[in-house]
Amino acid sequence: MSEKRSSFTGKIGFVLAAAGSAVGLGNIWRFPYLAAKYGGGIFLLVYIILAVTFGFALMAAEIALGRKTGQSAIGAFKSLDKRYSFVGVLASVIPAIILPYYSVIGGWVTKYLAVFVSGGASATAADDYFTGFISKTGEPVVWFLIFIALTAIIVLLGVEKGVEKVSKVMMPVLIALTIFIAVYSMFMPGAMEGVKYYLTPDFSKFSIKTVLAAMGQLFYSMSLAMGIMITYGSYMKKDVNLEKSVRQIEIFDTGIAFLAGLMIIPAVFAFSGGDESALGKGPSLMFITLPKVFDSMKGGTVIGAIFFLLVLFAALTSSISLMETVVSIVRDKFGWNRKAVCIGVLIFCIVLGLPSCFGFSIWGEIAVNGLSILDMFDFVSNSVLMPIVAFLTCIFVGYVLKPKALIEEVELSGPFKAKKLFTVVIKYIAPVCILLILISSVLDTLGIMKI
Ligand code: TRP
């Protein structure tokens, strides 16, 4: 018998570990700025529809693939059908693209924490504070290096478990604080307009871009289409209810993203006096809006400092898990020593992260369709590579392996209530939709067709 893979203990252990990977900057930083940019309510509606169909089916498929084979992405595909091992390889490239720019944002969070702790909070509420900060050449690089070094040190020392433990305590506090800030923002003068914008879908704002953005966000936020959930599945015990776990992770992840939107979007309206261009701020939205909220709040400096500390923890657990993934892929492939691989990955991340920093300063003129270098890395991973991997996964599960094989895996731990939905989404709906969206977005980017 081969060596037994260690498993997550207890029923809730699996859900918490997977949710820990899923919840990060994607929920708190990325979701609100996309929702603000892509029409508010309509984005939220499309996202939720995608989450309960695509998100559900893909996550169930990935976890089941992992649990069935007991292997992570590359091995899982390879052991089921050699011709499809490239899907696992492709999926494994994605974390390596995400980690560098993720760490740039992590650096911004670290900077804000430092400023709030050192008593400079009120300066951050000024309109051009954030732009002033990221357009400096050196400072954002230093914060990026601090964040990525912190991640690497934790991985090198192998103390991730400690960080995870702390973050399990921090997570509920983060949720409570997010609810508090959301309620506070909603009741600021002028904020109700924003609540309306966020909660009522305006169908005239719907376009294929809304769906593409929502789909990319879904993959990113739930750590799908990059092999992560396959790995998590490989550690899942056979008697843990797979369907229920997927639902719980989804509700958890979407719930936090929803709250983060409620915390930021109404505040954008309150501070911009109805000027809708404030909604299109992109990656900088959280860093511009939240300091204003804290500034207007009694005790805002302390609350802001606690908030950025909690977000830093959420970001660190994700960046650690991303780095772990990259390190273990390289080690599986080449069998090199762990320390050397960690340092290699660190250097790789620095090299790839620097352009994202410089894209707001000395390389500011490099932009495609208004996308900065950081946005471009983000676009390539979330809107191109992940849909391709998701498409190939659907084809593989739907037509090569056949959904039945995974349904049986899910049923080892109880009935699979949504198996019809699972089959239809994996075989027909998801591949067709993903392909259409992907083609139209590529044509749009190349300027051949406007969508
Ligand atoms: N889902 C994480 C977030 O919302 C980001 C992420 C993407 C991630 N892929 C990952 C985290 C892989 C850990 C492992 O921030």
Side-chain angles (χ1 to χ4, degrees):
M1 224 184 88
S2 61
E3 194 187 329
K4 213 167 154 263
R5 230 172 148 84
S6 62
S7 304
F8 291 115
T9 46
K11 291 211 162 55
I12 198 73
F14 173 77
V15 172
L16 280 181
S21 151
V23 175
L25 292 174
N27 308 63
I28 296 154
W29 153 77
R30 201 169 185 276
F31 183 86
Y33 93 67
L34 288 176
K37 189 169 162 185
Y38 290 99
I42 188 71
F43 180 87
L44 185 63
L45 181 68
V46 171
Y47 185 84
I48 290 174
I49 293 175
L50 287 178
V52 296
T53 54
F54 284 34
F56 169 76
L58 259 173
M59 191 183 289
E62 290 195 17
I63 294 178
L65 270 175
R67 195 170 76 172
K68 184 178 169 63
T69 57
Q71 304 204 28
S72 36
I74 300 182
F77 281 101
K78 200 171 171 184
S79 71
L80 293 168
D81 190 325
K82 275 216 160 44
R83 292 169 303 162
Y84 278 78
S85 43
F86 77 97
V87 182
V89 177
L90 198 59
S92 310
V93 173
I94 299 173
I97 300 179
I98 295 183
L99 180 58
Y101 84 82
Y102 199 87
S103 304
V104 174
I105 318 284
W108 297 351
V109 174
T110 319
K111 148 89 180 176
Y112 271 62
L113 171 62
V115 174
F116 270 73
V117 169
S118 61
S122 59
T124 60
D127 264 332
D128 49 6
Y129 182 87
F130 182 74
T131 330
F133 161 60
I134 54 170
S135 55
K136 285 187 202 149
T137 320
E139 207 194 328
V141 173
V142 174
W143 291 106
F144 155 63
L145 292 178
I146 292 176
F147 183 87
I148 189 80
L150 210 57
T151 305
I153 290 170
I154 295 167
V155 172
L156 259 174
L157 296 180
V159 292
E160 304 91 305
K161 287 278 163 300
V163 177
E164 262 167 38
K165 270 209 193 100
V166 179
S167 109
K168 263 180 208 157
V169 181
M170 302 276 236
M171 199 76 91
V173 187
L174 177 63
I175 297 173
L177 195 58
T178 308
I179 296 176
F180 172 77
I181 301 169
V183 172
Y184 179 89
S185 324
M186 278 163 63
F187 291 104
M188 280 189 298
M192 266 307 146
E193 269 312 298
V195 177
K196 239 190 258 155
Y197 176 79
Y198 184 44
L199 298 183
T200 44
D202 173 354
F203 289 91
S204 69
K205 292 206 166 90
F206 178 86
S207 78
I208 292 194
K209 280 199 174 139
T210 321
V211 188
L212 181 70
M215 194 169 73
Q217 172 61 17
L218 180 75
F219 296 152
Y220 185 90
S221 185
M222 296 191 180
S223 311
L224 293 175
M226 57 185 102
I228 297 282
M229 286 299 157
I230 301 185
T231 308
Y232 274 98
S234 73
Y235 293 113
M236 187 193 213
K237 285 190 180 151
K238 296 275 185 196
D239 62 352
V240 174
N241 190 316
L242 203 151
E243 185 179 25
K244 212 161 113 198
S245 303
V246 171
R247 292 266 181 241
Q248 284 169 345
I249 301 166
E250 273 196 320
I251 291 173
F252 203 65
D253 190 73
T254 310
I256 296 183
F258 173 77
L259 285 172
L262 212 49
M263 163 174 86
I264 291 174
I265 295 174
V268 175
F269 277 77
F271 290 113
S272 68
D275 170 16
E276 294 220 350
S277 71
L279 292 166
K281 286 273 184 274
S284 53
L285 192 67
M286 170 178 123
F287 297 92
I288 295 176
T289 307
L290 282 184
K292 291 187 205 285
V293 176
F294 295 133
D295 192 50
S296 75
M297 203 185 255
K298 233 176 128 203
T301 306
V302 178
I303 293 178
I306 298 173
F307 177 81
F308 283 113
L309 179 70
L310 297 170
V311 175
L312 179 63
F313 261 91
L316 268 177
T317 49
S318 290
S319 65
I320 291 166
S321 151
L322 281 162
M323 188 176 268
E324 272 290 346
T325 311
V326 182
V327 168
S328 62
I329 290 165
V330 177
R331 289 195 66 204
D332 283 352
K333 186 98 193 114
F334 301 103
W336 295 334
N337 150 306
R338 186 181 153 85
K339 213 177 209 167
V341 176
C342 282
I343 293 170
V345 171
L346 173 66
I347 295 171
F348 167 85
C349 287
I350 294 176
V351 173
L352 223 60
L354 283 178
S356 289
C357 285
F358 292 146
F360 298 105
S361 55
I362 46 174
W363 292 349
E365 63 301 336
I366 305 179
V368 178
N369 282 345
L371 298 183
S372 67
I373 298 177
L374 188 146
D375 289 316
M376 283 190 255
F377 277 113
D378 188 83
F379 180 81
V380 169
S381 58
N382 299 296
S383 301
V384 183
L385 289 176
M386 288 192 213
I388 293 177
V389 172
F391 173 77
L392 292 170
T393 308
C394 291
I395 297 298
F396 176 71
V397 174
Y399 299 94
V400 181
L401 182 67
K402 304 274 163 32
K404 199 164 161 275
L406 293 187
I407 292 175
E408 282 167 8
E409 178 64 38
V410 176
E411 284 177 339
L412 287 178
S413 52
F416 191 177
K417 292 191 203 113
K419 65 179 163 201
K420 281 229 172 62
L421 175 81
F422 175 78
T423 312
V424 173
V425 170
I426 291 281
K427 278 187 94 153
Y428 310 108
I429 304 181
V432 171
C433 293
I434 295 173
L435 204 62
L436 286 179
I437 294 165
L438 199 62
I439 294 173
S440 49
S441 90
V442 171
L443 292 181
D444 178 69
T445 313
L446 297 177
I448 297 170
M449 184 182 91
K450 270 263 130 315
I451 58 173

